[in-house]
């Protein structure tokens, strides 16, 4: 496989794929959505909110933008998010429909209907109340991808509390920092989860996190038994199954105002400290449901949908939990990795549940390409009718392979651009409307207004590149950064006044289609996961042997980008040093401080970093070295010879 083609090297005149007549005939979304949204954007969103959700108190105000950029949507309306995802489907006579086909990594399965999931969440909501969790309290969720994680999120939502899911791959220190920032009252975890045939413990990281500073707010740790591994036990620990058994089965859902906070989700920014992105209830759920229904062409009575994301990321929030459940769809939830215990496990899951719509990340597609087409070709995959992509730009080569090999040359592919901050999909093709263009996210969805602008904030002409901005408020937009409103304004709204700037560069082609080119700031995208260079650098310099560190994201065939770190050791550490041993130690160190996903692919011990005379590290040159390119212009460096030395050390 060749190196992924960068978006800015692509051309407008590649192949396009028009929707087939058969697809159009049965498509949920038609051209009329665009017409309605263009005619009156706010009225369009109000219609979506009313038709997709059940409101206990109907709203009369659609948008209050008077305190911009802090939006309030549908704010005099009241609803219960969990009731919208559960009870109303049961009341509508769909209680017997499967909500979740769970497949554990070791092969255990559970089939959970909407009636069963509703009953479980009722009990869990009572359990949380019994444990003293009240409206507005924060509950941190640190769990494997098992049904109890979904139940926890919905139970927290049901009582008007706020969840903050921390990806199970994050370290004890990352977990501690998030518990502290959110001031969590309760942590829900599991003894361990399954990964590649073995139990990967989770509870020990919670124990370690809670020995750290700033975690006194935590009153209890609720533990789901999943791995069966031995764990330490303290007075504050409680077994999920014991507490659930004690809780009453019936739960009357209370209605909450639309702007009630629903969750906090931490994401990497350009500084070392992760930001707690806050989402609220009515607007978020409206856009999660609207995008899920229209972009994935959901026919809840017959589709089997599968989004492969973990609930620790925004994709898992909006397209595993809230979107699909609000729409009453049947979905697959799989705990493991694509290729355990054998290559092709994912494709076996598609066949065994008859998955019709699959939503995954380009990095997974490229890994499947690398493993070889003979693996999916040995499976049927006939049930698939629509494929989705998210997390990073999908190079046209991977797009074509995804369509041919997985989609048998007939399925549309929707490339969906959005972010933790946007809450739900913003730019994507509509499968029954748009002529698909491999590699381009294409058009803002009906109701969304996005523009590409130059340095001065002026719209670029077709054929040009610039910064991707959103010009009008949207229902699922972040309502702020937890505990730091100023940072929200500075980070997203100051660069281009009146516009939300997402941190991505993009190109507008001759037909008005948008090609997202990736981050223009110091945020890396590794396997579709956001990592901050500053955060990894600060972890590295936290090691006693490291004097200075610079981190770059280097292009990588499979993961999109990979972390490459350049470090200067302290004089003591540098003495008689074994470079390989140091590199390994520092990789593990970063894994321990942040999490395995942040481990550098390469750690290069260097005598000096390329700095300008004013002392600014020139990451551009380090990226050249990390990608094995000819080193660019070094004339502004304080020491122009340093790059030659570094290139030799690679
Ligand atoms: C949903 C999610 C957001 C960043 C975003 C951008 C990149 C996501 C993309 C894409 C090109 C797509 N990104 N989808 N780039 N095409 N279809 O991934 O949220 O984890 O917050 O990351 O991911 O760079 O700014 P999040």
């Amino acid at each position: 496989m060749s190196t992924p083609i960068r978006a800015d090297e692509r051309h407008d005149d590649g192949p396009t794929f028009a929707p087939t007549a058969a697809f159009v005939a049965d498509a949920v979304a038609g051209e009329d959505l665009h017409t309605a949204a263009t005619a009156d954007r706010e009225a369009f969103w109000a219609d979506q909110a009313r038709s997709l959700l059940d409101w206990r108190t109907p709203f009369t105000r659609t948008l209050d933008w008077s305190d911009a950029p802090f939006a309030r949507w549908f704010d005099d309306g009241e609803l219960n998010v969990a009731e919208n995802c559960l009870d109303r489907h049961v009341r509508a006579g769909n209680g017997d429909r499967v909500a979740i086909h769970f497949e554990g990594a070791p092969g255990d399965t559970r089939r959970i209907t909407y009636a069963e999931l509703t009953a479980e969440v009722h009990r869990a909501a009572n359990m949380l109340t019994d444990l003293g969790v009240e409206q507005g309290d924060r509950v941190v969720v640190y769990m494997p991808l098992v049904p109890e994680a979904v139940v926890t999120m919905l139970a927290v939502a049901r009582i008007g509390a706020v969840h903050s899911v921390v990806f199970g791959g994050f370290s004890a220190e990352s977990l501690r920092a998030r518990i502290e920032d959110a001031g969590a009252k309760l942590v829900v975890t599991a003894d361990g989860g399954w990964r590649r045939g073995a139990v990967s413990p989770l509870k020990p990281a919670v124990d370690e996190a809670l020995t750290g500073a700033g975690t006194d707010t935590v009153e209890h740790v609720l533990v789901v038994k999943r791995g069966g591994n031995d764990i330490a036990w303290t007075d504050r620990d409680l077994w999920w199954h014991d507490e659930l058994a004690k809780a009453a089965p019936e739960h009357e859902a209370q209605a909450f105002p639309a702007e009630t906070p629903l969750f906090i989700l931490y994401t990497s920014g350009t500084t070392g400290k992760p930001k707690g992105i806050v989402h609220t209830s009515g607007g978020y759920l409206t856009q999660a449901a609207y995008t899920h229904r229209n972009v994935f062409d959901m026919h809840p009575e017959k589709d089997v949908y599968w989004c492969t994301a973990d609930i620790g990321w925004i994709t898992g929030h909006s397209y595993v939990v809230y979107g699909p459940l609000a729409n009453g769809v049947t979905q697959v939830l799989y705990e493991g990795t694509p290729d355990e215990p054998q290559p092709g496990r994912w494709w076996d899951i598609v066949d065994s549940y008859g998955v019709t719509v699959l939503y995954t990340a380009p990095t997974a597609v490229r890994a499947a390409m690398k493993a070889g087409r003979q693996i999916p070709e040995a499976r049927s995959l006939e049930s698939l009718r629509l494929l989705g992509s998210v997390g990073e730009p999908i190079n046209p080569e991977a797009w074509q392979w995804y369509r041919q090999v997985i989609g048998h040359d007939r399925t549309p592919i929707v490339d969906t651009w959005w972010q933790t901050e946007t809450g739900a999909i913003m730019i994507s093709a509509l499968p029954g409307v748009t002529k698909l263009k491999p590699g381009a996210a294409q058009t803002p969805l009906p109701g969304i207004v996005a523009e590409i602008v130059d340095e001065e904030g002026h719209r670029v002409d077709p054929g040009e590149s610039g910064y991707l901005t959103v010009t009008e408020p949207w229902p699922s937009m972040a309502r702020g950064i937890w505990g730091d409103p100023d940072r929200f304004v500075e980070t997203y709204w100051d660069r281009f006044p009146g516009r939300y700037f997402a941190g991505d560069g993009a190109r507008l082609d001759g037909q008005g289609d948008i090609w997202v080119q990736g981050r223009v700031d110091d945020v890396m995208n590794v396997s579709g996961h956001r990592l901050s260079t500053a955060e990894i650098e600060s972890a590295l310099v936290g090691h006693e042997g490291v004097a200075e560190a610079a981190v770059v994201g280097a292009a990588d065939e499979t993961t999109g980008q990979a972390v490459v770190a350049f470090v200067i050791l302290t004089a003591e550490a540098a003495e008689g040093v074994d470079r390989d041993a140091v590199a390994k130690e520092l990789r593990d160190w970063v894994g321990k401080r942040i999490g395995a996903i942040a481990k550098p692919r390469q750690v290069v011990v260097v005598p000096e970093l390329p700095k300008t005379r004013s002392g600014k590290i020139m990451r551009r040159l380090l990226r050249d070295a990390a990608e094995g390119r000819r080193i660019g212009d070094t004339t502004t460096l304080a020491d122009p010879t340093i790059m030659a030395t570094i290139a030799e050390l690679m």
Side-chain angles (χ1 to χ4, degrees):
M1 197 186 95
S2 63
T3 315
I5 308 161
R6 291 181 64 95
D8 48 6
E9 290 162 6
R10 294 176 197 142
H11 303 289
D12 302 354
D13 52 7
T16 56
F17 299 85
T20 62
F23 197 100
V24 175
D26 206 20
V28 171
E31 195 55 65
D32 53 314
L33 277 185
H34 275 293
T35 316
T38 311
D40 186 339
R41 213 175 40 82
E42 281 185 34
F44 169 81
W45 282 120
D47 279 350
Q48 295 303 328
R50 290 190 186 105
S51 64
L52 293 168
L53 305 183
D54 276 5
W55 294 82
R56 289 270 201 91
T57 310
F59 57 89
T60 63
R61 280 197 302 266
T62 299
L63 169 67
D64 176 359
W65 192 229
S66 59
D67 188 27
F70 299 93
R72 298 180 66 82
W73 283 87
F74 319 123
D75 74 339
D76 61 345
E78 291 187 322
L79 78 171
N80 185 288
V81 167
E83 185 178 49
N84 270 279
C85 293
L86 299 165
D87 311 54
R88 68 166 169 149
H89 304 313
V90 178
R91 282 200 293 268
N94 295 320
D96 291 339
R97 183 182 294 161
V98 174
I100 296 175
H101 286 294
F102 172 67
E103 175 143 332
D108 56 318
T109 60
R110 271 171 76 186
R111 186 177 165 282
I112 307 170
T113 64
Y114 271 93
E116 289 162 348
L117 190 63
T118 303
E120 180 108 349
V121 170
H122 282 210
R123 244 186 220 283
N126 285 324
M127 165 174 71
L128 294 179
T129 304
D130 294 346
L131 291 175
V133 180
E134 292 175 6
Q135 178 180 356
D137 286 344
R138 276 79 59 207
V139 175
V140 163
V141 181
Y142 186 67
M143 285 175 91
L145 192 49
V146 294
E148 286 81 359
V150 178
V151 170
T152 302
M153 291 165 74
L154 292 166
V156 168
R158 192 174 185 94
I159 62 171
V162 181
H163 57 71
S164 176
V165 182
V166 178
F167 174 57
F170 276 124
S171 66
E173 171 52 27
S174 295
L175 176 63
R176 188 208 60 77
R178 286 157 175 76
I179 290 170
E180 179 183 19
D181 189 74
K185 192 174 211 176
L186 177 74
V187 177
V188 186
T189 188
D191 48 359
W194 287 88
R195 262 287 179 277
R196 304 199 175 278
V199 172
S200 150
L202 280 165
K203 169 78 164 42
V206 177
D207 295 340
E208 191 186 332
L210 293 183
T211 60
T215 57
D216 314 341
T217 51
V218 176
E219 293 174 5
H220 293 290
V221 176
L222 200 50
V223 188
V224 172
K225 201 180 196 108
R226 170 66 187 156
N229 45 316
D230 282 336
I231 49 175
W233 205 254
T234 73
D235 289 349
R236 69 175 170 242
D237 299 336
L238 301 163
W239 282 111
W240 167 281
H241 53 263
D242 287 344
E243 298 310 304
L244 201 64
K246 284 187 231 158
E250 303 302 333
H251 186 271
E252 196 60 53
Q254 189 190 328
F256 295 101
E259 284 296 340
T260 302
L262 178 60
F263 65 86
I264 306 171
L265 185 61
Y266 289 83
T267 189
S268 297
T270 51
T271 66
K273 190 173 181 279
K275 301 173 284 206
I277 301 297
V278 179
H279 283 287
T280 59
S281 302
Y284 171 79
L285 197 63
T286 296
Q287 197 173 329
Y290 158 77
T291 51
H292 181 256
R293 180 171 298 245
N294 292 294
V295 172
F296 299 118
D297 191 49
M298 280 292 113
H299 295 75
E301 64 295 343
K302 57 182 185 202
D303 273 311
V304 178
Y305 161 88
W306 182 21
C307 167
T308 63
D310 189 274
I311 45 141
W313 311 108
I314 190 66
T315 307
H317 282 59
S318 304
Y319 300 106
V320 175
V321 181
Y322 293 109
L325 296 176
N327 288 330
V329 164
T330 296
Q331 70 175 320
V332 170
L333 190 75
Y334 168 55
E335 183 188 19
T337 54
D339 54 357
E340 67 176 285
Q342 77 281 349
R345 174 81 180 269
W346 267 18
W347 316 125
D348 289 335
I349 291 175
V350 168
D351 282 354
S352 69
Y353 297 100
V355 171
T356 56
V357 177
L358 175 70
Y359 189 31
T360 193
T363 186
V365 175
R366 290 193 297 264
M369 278 172 85
K370 219 174 187 175
R373 61 163 65 210
Q374 72 285 355
I375 297 167
E377 275 172 3
R379 275 82 183 177
S380 156
L381 305 185
E382 276 310 311
S383 55
L384 289 171
R385 64 179 192 87
L386 175 63
L387 303 173
S389 175
V390 61
E392 56 178 314
I394 180 162
N395 46 308
E397 204 184 6
W399 197 103
Q400 296 281 8
W401 189 93
Y402 195 22
R403 175 168 165 111
Q404 274 165 17
V405 181
I406 307 303
H408 293 182
D409 251 333
R410 43 183 183 76
T411 59
I413 297 179
V414 286
D415 176 8
T416 61
W417 177 86
W418 59 294
Q419 306 175 298
T420 305
E421 295 86 340
T422 70
I425 299 171
M426 301 291 279
I427 302 178
S428 169
L430 286 174
V433 177
T434 319
K435 224 178 179 183
L436 302 171
K437 216 180 251 184
Q442 301 197 282
T443 32
L445 288 179
I448 302 298
V449 190
E451 286 177 355
I452 301 171
V453 298
D454 63 17
E455 291 285 341
E456 277 77 51
H458 300 128
R459 270 180 17 209
V460 302
D461 291 328
E464 289 179 357
S465 294
Y467 302 98
L468 181 55
T469 67
V470 185
T471 65
E472 302 293 339
W474 63 100
S476 65
M477 68 197 295
R479 299 302 196 263
I481 294 176
W482 183 256
D484 201 347
D486 294 344
R487 191 174 173 201
F488 180 66
V489 178
E490 282 157 26
T491 310
Y492 303 106
W493 303 88
D494 275 0
R495 175 74 177 81
F496 300 107
R499 295 169 183 271
Y500 168 81
F501 172 50
D504 282 311
R507 189 172 67 92
L508 190 66
D509 74 14
Q511 287 93 46
D513 280 319
I514 294 174
W515 299 68
V516 181
Q517 294 167 315
R519 307 291 305 192
V520 295
D521 52 14
D522 288 330
V523 175
M524 294 170 289
N525 192 326
V526 179
S527 298
H529 299 148
R530 273 165 72 167
L531 295 170
S532 131
T533 55
E535 195 181 351
I536 299 175
E537 285 167 3
S538 103
L540 284 166
V541 297
H543 187 285
E544 56 178 10
V546 176
E548 251 188 288
V551 166
V552 298
D556 185 279
E557 259 193 18
T558 308
T559 59
Q561 281 188 306
V563 180
V564 177
F566 297 85
V567 297
I568 305 177
L569 300 180
T570 58
E572 278 151 32
E575 210 163 310
V577 66
D578 170 351
R579 289 173 180 282
D580 291 342
V582 171
K584 183 179 181 312
E585 182 174 337
L586 291 179
R587 288 185 72 245
D588 292 345
W589 171 261
V590 173
K592 184 146 173 42
R593 295 296 294 261
I594 302 175
I597 49 163
K599 277 188 179 180
R601 183 184 70 186
Q602 199 178 355
V603 176
V604 191
V605 178
V606 296
E608 187 46 270
L609 291 167
K611 288 186 190 147
T612 59
R613 280 175 204 97
S614 61
K616 206 169 168 352
I617 296 172
M618 293 195 69
R619 287 198 178 69
R620 174 173 59 77
L621 298 175
L622 292 173
R623 217 171 291 129
D624 289 343
E627 293 177 352
R629 256 199 311 275
R630 258 197 60 181
I631 309 291
D633 185 5
T634 58
T635 49
T636 55
L637 291 182
D639 170 8
T641 67
I642 184 63
M643 283 313 301
T645 312
I646 291 177
E648 252 167 51
L649 290 167
M650 295 300 298

